[in-house]
Amino acid sequence: GGAAAGGSSSSSSAPARATEAKVAPELLAPEALLQALATGDARGALLLLQQGAVRSGRACDQQGRSIFMLAIAREMPRVALTILASFPPHAADGINTAELHPQRRDTLLHLLCGREHFDAQVAELFSNLLLASHRSVHFQTNDIGQNFCHIAAARLNCWLLLHAISTSPSLAQLYCQKDSAGWTPLALLARHLQAKGLALQQPPPLDGVQYTPECSQLGQSLTLSSAGSAPPPFADLQVEVEDPAAGGRAKLWCHRVVLAAASSKWHEALGAQQAVPALLRIDPQHCSSQKVLEEALHFVYAGKLRGALGTDGQLLWQLLCFSVHCALPEALRQAAVAALLGALQRPENAAVVPVLLRSARAVRLGEAERRFVLYRFLRCTDALAAAGSEAKFLQTTKVALAELDNIFVRSAAQDGRGASSSAAEKK
């Protein structure tokens, strides 16, 4: 499956039992059919099936491998689809969806995910088999502790991984399950990025957008006050923020001309007020921290961050959202992004990674910035815990897979191959 692993492990659900080595004579498949499957003669195998060469989907060879498993292993999807249609799992003579490979204990899903060529027929076969299989089969691991998602990740099959959790959301927990060597499917995807030279392990540099504060054009005579202090000269505006952590509401004295010039939304809100001093209430959904507000206003007055938020990922994330929602200067958004991405390298900020990945496009992260956040998520030691809930982990994983597939599609196009790592375009 592409990951270095050793030993064996058990499934999180009751494991399916492997087919016995001794095969009952009535289950032995005709030699002609076995020969066609062994040599990859799909036309001959289909002809024999149409002629009724077997009466059960569990017909097998001397090693106990069913004709269905052999068709999958020999990469004959049309033959496998024919067997599945002729002998559906719910029928008395139907295929055994819990069948395991006699030696490696791979399920049928493992074998499908390990195919080198994944086209529309294989995608159809996988979809049907996933729906027909019991939950215990989905969670079955092979002799090196890998579930079928490990195999799909090793093959870089983003479509299959995305389809699996879209069909059965409970499978999301498989994506952070470790195999015998400690690899999760997400970590295997990160290894692909690194192997192809596409992983960004350090935050990308800033674009260098500058912001010239309005007060600088007024001889820097206008200054910002701290909460609770006396108003500075010419102050004609109070900005109010609700901060539960600080014990309630805080008000800061500011200047209408400075804030109106910094944000089109603030310009509109202040233009509708005649009172002096004016009052600008900050929506708690956009900012609920006095520290974040002071950092944003300091930038508006000074053109640079004060750095008072340090490496607090939660506060830096709030600063980024605040700058976007209030249409503050682009230079502030970029400065907030740079500070936040730098803070993501600290383990205590792991919980911010999934949130930022899900909202990456909403806060206008660039391609390189999204790739950095994606790599941090894939390499997260406990991505499920970082996401906070299975539902949020599911949502984040879907975003990660879509982003990852886009990266490899662009990379393939640039290399002149023009091939996608997913089968979606083939469906």
Side-chain angles (χ1 to χ4, degrees):
S8 61
S9 68
S10 59
S11 170
S12 57
S13 301
R17 300 184 63 182
T19 308
E20 295 294 337
K22 293 182 179 180
V23 179
E26 63 271 17
L27 285 180
L28 280 175
E31 185 60 32
L33 179 57
L34 294 177
Q35 183 64 24
L37 293 173
T39 58
D41 181 8
R43 180 177 298 180
L46 286 171
L47 181 59
L48 288 168
L49 289 170
Q50 292 167 2
Q51 293 174 349
V54 292
R55 297 183 179 180
S56 171
R58 303 194 180 202
C60 56
D61 63 9
Q62 290 284 1
Q63 287 74 45
R65 298 172 298 183
S66 73
I67 56 173
F68 187 60
M69 173 176 280
L70 292 172
I72 292 175
R74 293 295 181 181
E75 303 203 0
M76 303 165 70
R78 186 179 173 190
V79 174
L81 284 169
T82 300
I83 296 173
L84 181 61
S86 302
F87 306 103
H90 60 269
D93 57 357
I95 66 164
N96 176 18
T97 57
E99 181 179 4
L100 298 179
H101 189 277
Q103 285 79 44
R104 301 190 306 271
R105 294 183 63 80
D106 285 328
T107 66
L108 298 171
L109 293 173
H110 282 80
L111 296 177
L112 275 174
C113 293
R115 285 181 53 99
E116 182 175 356
H117 304 290
F118 199 91
D119 57 17
Q121 285 188 334
V122 183
E124 179 185 356
L125 183 58
F126 175 82
S127 299
N128 293 341
L129 190 57
L130 185 68
L131 290 172
S133 302
H134 189 265
R135 176 182 171 87
S136 61
V137 175
H138 299 162
F139 284 81
Q140 177 72 41
T141 56
N142 60 17
D143 276 351
I144 56 174
Q146 294 184 333
N147 60 58
F148 75 88
C149 296
H150 281 97
I151 312 301
R155 282 293 186 186
L156 197 54
N157 195 323
C158 295
W159 177 88
L160 191 151
L161 291 167
L162 185 57
H163 178 76
I165 55 173
S166 298
T167 301
S168 182
S170 65
L171 296 179
Q173 56 189 289
L174 291 178
Y175 292 63
C176 51
Q177 181 180 343
K178 294 181 180 180
D179 64 12
S180 300
W183 289 90
T184 67
L186 294 181
L188 290 176
L189 293 173
R191 191 173 71 171
H192 278 294
L193 275 177
Q194 190 170 6
K196 295 177 181 293
L198 298 173
L200 279 183
Q201 302 185 42
Q202 298 295 327
L206 277 172
D207 289 341
V209 175
Q210 300 294 320
Y211 174 68
T212 303
E214 181 70 18
C215 55
S216 67
Q217 302 177 20
L218 301 175
Q220 296 188 353
S221 59
L222 304 184
T223 57
L224 175 66
S225 74
S226 58
S229 64
F234 309 111
D236 56 357
L237 165 66
Q238 283 188 305
V239 183
E240 181 182 272
V241 62
E242 293 185 22
D243 187 348
R249 297 180 179 178
K251 291 184 178 181
L252 288 81
W253 282 99
C254 299
H255 304 84
R256 295 169 67 136
V257 63
V258 176
L259 269 63
S263 164
S264 57
K265 289 187 177 180
W266 288 353
H267 184 281
E268 182 179 354
L270 294 173
Q273 295 190 40
Q274 300 298 324
V276 178
L279 178 63
L280 182 63
R281 288 191 175 93
I282 302 300
D283 189 336
Q285 292 185 342
H286 298 162
C287 178
S288 59
S289 167
Q290 178 183 327
K291 289 183 178 180
V292 171
L293 177 61
E294 289 177 343
E295 190 74 9
L297 292 178
H298 180 273
F299 188 95
V300 167
Y301 275 79
K304 60 183 179 180
L305 291 180
R306 183 176 51 177
L309 303 183
T311 58
D312 189 318
Q314 297 286 352
L315 292 182
L316 289 170
W317 164 241
Q318 194 173 155
L319 176 63
L320 173 58
C321 292
F322 183 54
S323 69
V324 172
H325 286 302
C326 292
L328 291 172
E330 170 63 13
L332 172 56
R333 188 196 68 82
Q334 290 193 14
V337 168
L340 177 56
L341 296 188
L344 291 186
Q345 299 179 94
R346 303 179 66 88
E348 62 267 26
N349 291 323
V352 182
V353 175
V355 179
L356 180 56
L357 183 57
R358 293 195 301 269
S359 306
R361 294 182 183 271
V363 295
R364 304 198 301 275
L365 293 193
E367 188 274 333
E369 293 162 344
R370 295 197 305 273
R371 191 148 37 102
F372 172 77
V373 179
L374 171 65
Y375 186 75
R376 300 299 305 178
F377 173 71
L378 296 177
R379 292 295 296 167
C380 185
T381 54
D382 193 346
L384 180 57
S389 70
E390 189 170 303
K392 290 181 179 178
F393 175 72
L394 172 65
Q395 184 182 1
T396 309
T397 302
K398 286 183 176 181
V399 172
L401 290 171
E403 193 69 47
L404 188 67
D405 197 45
N406 287 335
I407 290 173
F408 287 117
V409 168
R410 286 195 299 269
S411 175
Q414 291 172 0
D415 290 343
R417 297 191 301 269
S420 169
S421 64
S422 82
E425 63 195 36
K426 302 170 186 175
K427 287 180 68 64

Short mmCIF file of all heavy atoms in Angstrom, two decimals, residues 68-96:
data_model
loop_
_atom_site.label_atom_id
_atom_site.label_comp_id
_atom_site.label_asym_id
_atom_site.label_seq_id
_atom_site.Cartn_x
_atom_site.Cartn_y
_atom_site.Cartn_z
N PHE A 68 -14.87 -13.50 -7.69
CA PHE A 68 -15.05 -12.05 -7.57
C PHE A 68 -13.74 -11.41 -7.14
O PHE A 68 -13.30 -10.40 -7.72
CB PHE A 68 -16.17 -11.75 -6.57
CG PHE A 68 -16.55 -10.30 -6.50
CD1 PHE A 68 -17.04 -9.63 -7.61
CD2 PHE A 68 -16.43 -9.59 -5.31
CE1 PHE A 68 -17.40 -8.29 -7.55
CE2 PHE A 68 -16.79 -8.25 -5.23
CZ PHE A 68 -17.27 -7.60 -6.35
N MET A 69 -13.10 -11.99 -6.13
CA MET A 69 -11.81 -11.47 -5.69
C MET A 69 -10.76 -11.56 -6.79
O MET A 69 -9.97 -10.63 -7.01
CB MET A 69 -11.32 -12.21 -4.44
CG MET A 69 -9.90 -11.83 -4.01
SD MET A 69 -9.36 -12.62 -2.48
CE MET A 69 -10.17 -11.56 -1.27
N LEU A 70 -10.76 -12.67 -7.51
CA LEU A 70 -9.78 -12.86 -8.59
C LEU A 70 -9.98 -11.82 -9.70
O LEU A 70 -9.01 -11.30 -10.26
CB LEU A 70 -9.88 -14.27 -9.16
CG LEU A 70 -9.43 -15.40 -8.23
CD1 LEU A 70 -9.76 -16.76 -8.83
CD2 LEU A 70 -7.94 -15.30 -7.95
N ALA A 71 -11.23 -11.52 -10.01
CA ALA A 71 -11.52 -10.52 -11.05
C ALA A 71 -11.02 -9.14 -10.62
O ALA A 71 -10.47 -8.39 -11.44
CB ALA A 71 -13.01 -10.47 -11.34
N ILE A 72 -11.18 -8.82 -9.34
CA ILE A 72 -10.69 -7.54 -8.83
C ILE A 72 -9.17 -7.52 -8.83
O ILE A 72 -8.54 -6.55 -9.28
CB ILE A 72 -11.23 -7.28 -7.40
CG1 ILE A 72 -12.75 -7.06 -7.45
CG2 ILE A 72 -10.53 -6.09 -6.76
CD1 ILE A 72 -13.39 -6.93 -6.08
N ALA A 73 -8.57 -8.59 -8.33
CA ALA A 73 -7.11 -8.65 -8.23
C ALA A 73 -6.44 -8.60 -9.60
O ALA A 73 -5.35 -8.05 -9.74
CB ALA A 73 -6.70 -9.92 -7.49
N ARG A 74 -7.10 -9.17 -10.61
CA ARG A 74 -6.54 -9.18 -11.96
C ARG A 74 -6.94 -7.94 -12.76
O ARG A 74 -6.72 -7.88 -13.97
CB ARG A 74 -7.00 -10.44 -12.71
CG ARG A 74 -6.45 -11.73 -12.15
CD ARG A 74 -4.95 -11.82 -12.32
NE ARG A 74 -4.40 -13.07 -11.81
CZ ARG A 74 -3.12 -13.37 -11.83
NH1 ARG A 74 -2.26 -12.51 -12.33
NH2 ARG A 74 -2.68 -14.52 -11.33
N GLU A 75 -7.54 -6.96 -12.07
CA GLU A 75 -7.93 -5.70 -12.68
C GLU A 75 -8.85 -5.91 -13.88
O GLU A 75 -8.59 -5.43 -14.99
CB GLU A 75 -6.70 -4.87 -13.05
CG GLU A 75 -5.79 -4.58 -11.86
CD GLU A 75 -4.90 -3.37 -12.04
OE1 GLU A 75 -4.98 -2.73 -13.11
OE2 GLU A 75 -4.14 -3.04 -11.11
N MET A 76 -9.94 -6.62 -13.62
CA MET A 76 -10.96 -6.88 -14.64
C MET A 76 -12.30 -6.37 -14.11
O MET A 76 -13.17 -7.15 -13.71
CB MET A 76 -11.01 -8.38 -14.96
CG MET A 76 -9.66 -8.93 -15.42
SD MET A 76 -9.56 -10.75 -15.42
CE MET A 76 -10.65 -11.17 -16.78
N PRO A 77 -12.49 -5.04 -14.06
CA PRO A 77 -13.68 -4.47 -13.43
C PRO A 77 -14.99 -4.87 -14.10
O PRO A 77 -16.01 -5.06 -13.41
CB PRO A 77 -13.45 -2.95 -13.53
CG PRO A 77 -12.49 -2.79 -14.67
CD PRO A 77 -11.60 -4.00 -14.61
N ARG A 78 -15.00 -5.01 -15.42
CA ARG A 78 -16.24 -5.37 -16.09
C ARG A 78 -16.67 -6.78 -15.69
O ARG A 78 -17.87 -7.04 -15.48
CB ARG A 78 -16.06 -5.29 -17.60
CG ARG A 78 -17.35 -5.50 -18.38
CD ARG A 78 -17.12 -5.38 -19.87
NE ARG A 78 -18.32 -5.74 -20.62
CZ ARG A 78 -18.35 -5.91 -21.93
NH1 ARG A 78 -17.24 -5.73 -22.65
NH2 ARG A 78 -19.48 -6.26 -22.53
N VAL A 79 -15.71 -7.67 -15.55
CA VAL A 79 -16.01 -9.04 -15.11
C VAL A 79 -16.54 -9.01 -13.68
O VAL A 79 -17.53 -9.67 -13.35
CB VAL A 79 -14.77 -9.94 -15.21
CG1 VAL A 79 -15.05 -11.32 -14.62
CG2 VAL A 79 -14.30 -10.06 -16.65
N ALA A 80 -15.88 -8.21 -12.82
CA ALA A 80 -16.31 -8.12 -11.42
C ALA A 80 -17.72 -7.54 -11.32
O ALA A 80 -18.54 -8.01 -10.52
CB ALA A 80 -15.32 -7.28 -10.63
N LEU A 81 -18.02 -6.52 -12.13
CA LEU A 81 -19.36 -5.93 -12.11
C LEU A 81 -20.41 -6.95 -12.57
O LEU A 81 -21.53 -7.00 -12.03
CB LEU A 81 -19.40 -4.70 -13.02
CG LEU A 81 -18.76 -3.43 -12.46
CD1 LEU A 81 -18.63 -2.37 -13.56
CD2 LEU A 81 -19.59 -2.88 -11.30
N THR A 82 -20.05 -7.78 -13.54
CA THR A 82 -20.96 -8.82 -14.02
C THR A 82 -21.24 -9.84 -12.93
O THR A 82 -22.39 -10.27 -12.72
CB THR A 82 -20.38 -9.51 -15.26
OG1 THR A 82 -20.18 -8.54 -16.29
CG2 THR A 82 -21.30 -10.61 -15.76
N ILE A 83 -20.19 -10.24 -12.21
CA ILE A 83 -20.36 -11.21 -11.11
C ILE A 83 -21.22 -10.60 -10.02
O ILE A 83 -22.12 -11.26 -9.48
CB ILE A 83 -18.98 -11.62 -10.55
CG1 ILE A 83 -18.17 -12.37 -11.62
CG2 ILE A 83 -19.14 -12.49 -9.30
CD1 ILE A 83 -16.74 -12.67 -11.21
N LEU A 84 -20.98 -9.32 -9.70
CA LEU A 84 -21.75 -8.65 -8.65
C LEU A 84 -23.22 -8.55 -9.04
O LEU A 84 -24.11 -8.75 -8.20
CB LEU A 84 -21.17 -7.26 -8.40
CG LEU A 84 -21.83 -6.40 -7.33
CD1 LEU A 84 -21.76 -7.08 -5.97
CD2 LEU A 84 -21.18 -5.02 -7.27
N ALA A 85 -23.49 -8.25 -10.30
CA ALA A 85 -24.88 -8.14 -10.76
C ALA A 85 -25.57 -9.50 -10.79
O ALA A 85 -26.76 -9.61 -10.49
CB ALA A 85 -24.92 -7.49 -12.14
N SER A 86 -24.81 -10.55 -11.14
CA SER A 86 -25.38 -11.89 -11.25
C SER A 86 -25.58 -12.54 -9.88
O SER A 86 -26.52 -13.33 -9.69
CB SER A 86 -24.48 -12.79 -12.10
OG SER A 86 -24.30 -12.24 -13.39
N PHE A 87 -24.70 -12.18 -8.94
CA PHE A 87 -24.76 -12.80 -7.61
C PHE A 87 -24.67 -11.72 -6.54
O PHE A 87 -23.65 -11.56 -5.86
CB PHE A 87 -23.60 -13.80 -7.45
CG PHE A 87 -23.54 -14.84 -8.53
CD1 PHE A 87 -22.59 -14.75 -9.55
CD2 PHE A 87 -24.42 -15.92 -8.55
CE1 PHE A 87 -22.52 -15.70 -10.54
CE2 PHE A 87 -24.37 -16.88 -9.54
CZ PHE A 87 -23.42 -16.77 -10.55
N PRO A 88 -25.74 -10.93 -6.38
CA PRO A 88 -25.73 -9.84 -5.40
C PRO A 88 -25.54 -10.37 -3.97
O PRO A 88 -25.93 -11.50 -3.67
CB PRO A 88 -27.10 -9.19 -5.58
CG PRO A 88 -27.96 -10.24 -6.23
CD PRO A 88 -27.04 -11.04 -7.08
N PRO A 89 -24.92 -9.57 -3.10
CA PRO A 89 -24.58 -10.04 -1.75
C PRO A 89 -25.76 -10.55 -0.93
O PRO A 89 -25.60 -11.47 -0.12
CB PRO A 89 -23.96 -8.80 -1.10
CG PRO A 89 -23.48 -7.98 -2.25
CD PRO A 89 -24.44 -8.21 -3.35
N HIS A 90 -26.95 -10.00 -1.14
CA HIS A 90 -28.10 -10.39 -0.32
C HIS A 90 -28.70 -11.73 -0.74
O HIS A 90 -29.50 -12.32 -0.02
CB HIS A 90 -29.18 -9.31 -0.39
CG HIS A 90 -29.70 -9.07 -1.78
ND1 HIS A 90 -29.13 -8.12 -2.61
CD2 HIS A 90 -30.71 -9.66 -2.49
CE1 HIS A 90 -29.79 -8.13 -3.77
NE2 HIS A 90 -30.74 -9.05 -3.72
N ALA A 91 -28.30 -12.22 -1.91
CA ALA A 91 -28.85 -13.50 -2.40
C ALA A 91 -28.14 -14.67 -1.73
O ALA A 91 -27.01 -14.56 -1.26
CB ALA A 91 -28.70 -13.58 -3.92
N ALA A 92 -28.82 -15.82 -1.73
CA ALA A 92 -28.24 -17.01 -1.11
C ALA A 92 -26.95 -17.43 -1.79
O ALA A 92 -26.03 -17.97 -1.15
CB ALA A 92 -29.26 -18.15 -1.15
N ASP A 93 -26.86 -17.21 -3.09
CA ASP A 93 -25.65 -17.59 -3.83
C ASP A 93 -24.79 -16.35 -4.13
O ASP A 93 -23.96 -16.36 -5.04
CB ASP A 93 -26.03 -18.29 -5.14
CG ASP A 93 -26.93 -17.41 -6.03
OD1 ASP A 93 -27.30 -16.31 -5.58
OD2 ASP A 93 -27.25 -17.84 -7.16
N GLY A 94 -25.01 -15.26 -3.36
CA GLY A 94 -24.32 -14.01 -3.62
C GLY A 94 -22.87 -14.00 -3.18
O GLY A 94 -22.40 -14.89 -2.45
N ILE A 95 -22.16 -13.00 -3.62
CA ILE A 95 -20.75 -12.86 -3.25
C ILE A 95 -20.62 -12.60 -1.75
O ILE A 95 -21.56 -12.14 -1.10
CB ILE A 95 -20.08 -11.71 -4.02
CG1 ILE A 95 -20.70 -10.36 -3.61
CG2 ILE A 95 -20.15 -11.91 -5.51
CD1 ILE A 95 -19.88 -9.17 -4.01
N ASN A 96 -19.46 -12.86 -1.21
CA ASN A 96 -19.18 -12.62 0.20
C ASN A 96 -18.41 -11.30 0.31
O ASN A 96 -17.21 -11.24 0.03
CB ASN A 96 -18.35 -13.76 0.79
CG ASN A 96 -17.95 -13.50 2.24
OD1 ASN A 96 -18.54 -12.66 2.91
ND2 ASN A 96 -16.94 -14.23 2.70
#
